[in-house]
Amino acid sequence: MATFRLQGSKVLAVDMTGDTVKAKNGSMVAYDGQMAFKKMTGGGEGLRGMVTRRLTGEQMTVMEVKGQGTCWFADRASEISLVHLRGETLYVESSNLLCTDAGLRTGTTFTGLRGASQGNGLFTTTVEGSGQAAIMSDGPAVVLRVTPQYPLSVDPGAYIAHQGDLRQDFQSGVTFRTFLGEGGGEAFQIRFEGDGLVYVQPSERNTVGGDV
Amino acid sequence: MPFREVNSRVVEAVIAPGQKMFSQRGAMLAYRGEVSFTPNVQGGQGGVMSMIGRRVANEATPLMTVEGDGTVMFGHGGHHIQVIQLSGDTLYVEADRLLAFDGTLTQGTMFMGSQGGVMGMVRGQVTGQGLFTTTLKGHGAVAVMAHGGVIELPVTPGRAVHVDPQAYVAHHGDVRNKLSTALGWRDMVGRGSGEAFQLELSGSGAVYVQASEEKL
């Protein structure tokens, strides 16, 4: 299996011995040995997946990298975190996904109102199976543990991914004050309950929630 | 060792009397002691001929001479800075990535076509770097800028390194570089992987790669 390691916090090195990984299109910065790059249509989920992706707006251009040697990936100087999956599902925005083991299945899932407040649409990408994935964030990501006793509320603009057995709930603190322009600036949150991990970046995307 | 890394985006240089440094104009952040900054009309050293060479080659990033007795901090545009130590070998770097370098180093310009022939020239066009690159030779330190962090990859005989032209920062040592293409029919119909062009570096030395595909 391909080995993922971080070289610094912004460059991912993948050591390969004839195996395959899936990576964001154009994210290779260097390689040694022999590598072949092939674009996969519609995020590597076949025709049905492609249609779903088109419809859901969770567009992802992915390439298949096969080879022998080391391949280095990076994207716009984003910070990279490694996620180990053991038969679990990782939920991540397609724009935050850098690279996955080819053995992992990717798909699309409905997120409900959360996505709309994030400005990311109503759908998110899922990565399922056993292996490694690399996710990107603006600034070093913080991994927060959620247990049944300790639920967590996250700013939609700072959320990047989650894994484990978690329920997510959209919370809105919109009151009449918000409409008067007296809001606290934190009108929307996503609340996670259950057992799992949430990845949060120290930066906020522009969201509808940030303005109210 | 004239450069001390203050953090990833700021370096400090010690200037001793009788010693000279060159830096990109406007890259001084702060200084202590008696230091003077003179704009360098010639854009470096090597006299008038070298100046004309650089003008023609469009490698004429404005430089200034830094002299005196004290310490100077350099930084520019919030870019990451990598200090490269040269011991008699040659560093190849784009002029606009040069932040500061030791005055003892010899600056020159190299025509890309002289390495790799026509492909060398194509390379300049593909990467948006033009037909010429700046060389620095001798014993001393150079501070170069990059977007995001920089990793250093060794190039050894029999183990060539391929680099995305946009992520390439600089290289040194006895290294040949050529543009390799993997243009297939997929690229023609717009289904390419986005990795159609690579720089192949072979020989022995090192190549510096930035964690981003953005130009400075």
Side-chain angles (χ1 to χ4, degrees), chain A residues 143-154:
Chain A
V143 188
L144 299 171
R145 164 125 249 154
V146 178
T147 61
Q149 293 80 34
Y150 293 101
L152 177 74
S153 296
V154 177

Side-chain angles (χ1 to χ4, degrees), chain B residues 168-193:
Chain B
Y168 166 86
V169 173
H171 73 269
H172 75 80
D174 182 20
V175 170
R176 289 196 63 79
N177 74 90
K178 69 169 202 222
L179 187 76
S180 60
T181 51
L183 275 176
W185 61 271
R186 281 169 172 274
D187 295 281
M188 305 302 171
V189 295
R191 294 238 159 269
S193 61

